[in-house]
Amino acid sequence: QKEVEQDPGPLSVPEGAIVSLNCTYSNSAFQYFMWYRQYSRKGPELLMYTYSSGNKEDGRFTAQVDKSSKYISLFIRDSQPSDSATYLCALFNSGGYQKVTFGTGTKLQVIP
Amino acid sequence: EAQVTQNPRYLITVTGKKLTVTCSQNMNHEYMSWYRQDPGLGLRQIYYSMNVEVTDKGDVPEGYKVSRKEKRNFPLILESPSPNQTSLYFCASSFGGSRIDTGELFFGEGSRLTVL
């Protein structure tokens, strides 16, 4: 079983739609939960991170973590064409092996 | 500008011809790491370094070497490249002394390597 499972998509939505991106994980030791955004031909960049369970909002983006279900989500409201990118969930356990574990990424296209 | 710089960005080479991908960061980060990104497999860690002269294997270290002689540089060496090393490679760095604190990584723009 993979440590992190992420639906690869691709996901195609019209401009203005609400987008939901999700990951499940198996290791309950993960403490930090992140979403990275990767534009075509670019390196990933950190979009949001959350420590432990709960919600975190930043503008049109909301990250949600449910540690009891081992499920993390990223919601994008009022999606824009500039949101078209691959979104990678990432998990980290600061007490363990110094490695950030990434999902395989979901490719999102927002159509004008 | 704070950045991680990789070179070359694109490279086509042949089996067995040694090559080095350079990585340099100007943020005074102590932690640096190499990842490869393949379709369906995502980002997999090759090697990482907690500090100068301290390196360790990641998940897929076979066929690669690294060195960390200076804080800012972390080159990736392929001594005898093979076609299965055709991939997109990313260098990343992070804050932290003896450990990363939160998992926030700063990535370079990637190096696309093709081994024929």
Side-chain angles (χ1 to χ4, degrees):
Chain A
Q1 182 188 9
K2 284 185 179 179
E3 278 194 289
V4 184
E5 300 275 1
Q6 183 174 8
D7 187 337
L11 188 59
S12 185
V13 302
E15 183 175 352
I18 296 174
V19 176
S20 173
L21 304 168
N22 310 293
C23 287
T24 58
Y25 64 95
S26 57
N27 186 350
S28 58
F30 288 124
Q31 303 159 306
Y32 291 91
F33 305 89
M34 294 157 283
W35 287 93
Y36 282 78
R37 178 175 60 194
Q38 184 177 16
Y39 290 115
S40 181
R41 287 185 286 278
K42 295 287 188 181
E45 57 178 352
L46 182 67
L47 184 62
M48 294 185 72
Y49 87 87
T50 312
Y51 176 71
S52 197
S53 282
N55 291 359
K56 185 173 184 178
E57 191 172 317
D58 184 2
R60 297 184 294 110
F61 298 87
T62 299
Q64 197 171 77
V65 175
D66 182 349
K67 289 191 74 175
S68 62
S69 302
K70 298 189 181 66
Y71 192 84
I72 64 174
S73 301
L74 178 70
F75 298 96
I76 307 174
R77 291 185 301 281
D78 188 25
S79 56
Q80 301 295 307
S82 59
D83 296 328
S84 297
T86 296
Y87 291 81
L88 302 103
C89 61
L91 296 85
F92 179 67
N93 171 16
S94 66
Y97 177 43
Q98 291 294 291
K99 181 188 80 169
V100 177
T101 301
F102 287 88
T104 51
T106 300
K107 189 170 185 177
L108 171 67
Q109 184 180 23
V110 181
I111 301 168
Chain B
E1 181 189 353
Q3 58 186 6
V4 178
T5 303
Q6 297 178 225
N7 280 296
R9 294 287 313 279
Y10 301 91
L11 180 64
I12 300 174
T13 189
V14 295
T15 299
K17 186 176 182 182
K18 181 180 177 179
L19 68 92
T20 299
V21 186
T22 64
C23 174
S24 181
Q25 50 93 5
N26 63 0
M27 295 170 279
N28 203 36
H29 287 167
E30 296 194 356
Y31 179 93
M32 297 185 74
S33 182
W34 276 102
Y35 286 84
R36 60 178 288 174
Q37 187 175 38
D38 301 288
L41 298 175
L43 281 163
R44 293 180 292 167
Q45 191 182 52
I46 303 170
Y47 269 94
Y48 67 98
S49 169
M50 299 301 293
N51 212 328
V52 175
E53 302 293 0
V54 180
T55 62
D56 211 342
K57 296 177 181 178
D59 295 321
V60 288
E62 295 78 21
Y64 304 95
K65 284 177 58 177
V66 293
S67 69
R68 186 91 181 274
K69 293 182 169 40
E70 304 167 282
K71 195 173 188 178
R72 63 183 292 129
N73 295 323
F74 191 43
L76 179 70
I77 303 157
L78 286 74
E79 293 270 2
S80 182
S82 62
N84 65 11
Q85 292 178 296
T86 293
S87 186
L88 179 58
Y89 291 87
F90 288 101
C91 180
S93 69
S94 182
F95 302 108
S98 59
R99 60 197 310 113
I100 317 176
D101 289 326
T102 65
E104 180 177 6
L105 294 170
F106 295 82
F107 283 87
E109 296 213 319
S111 297
R112 184 167 291 283
L113 171 65
T114 301
V115 183
L116 302 175

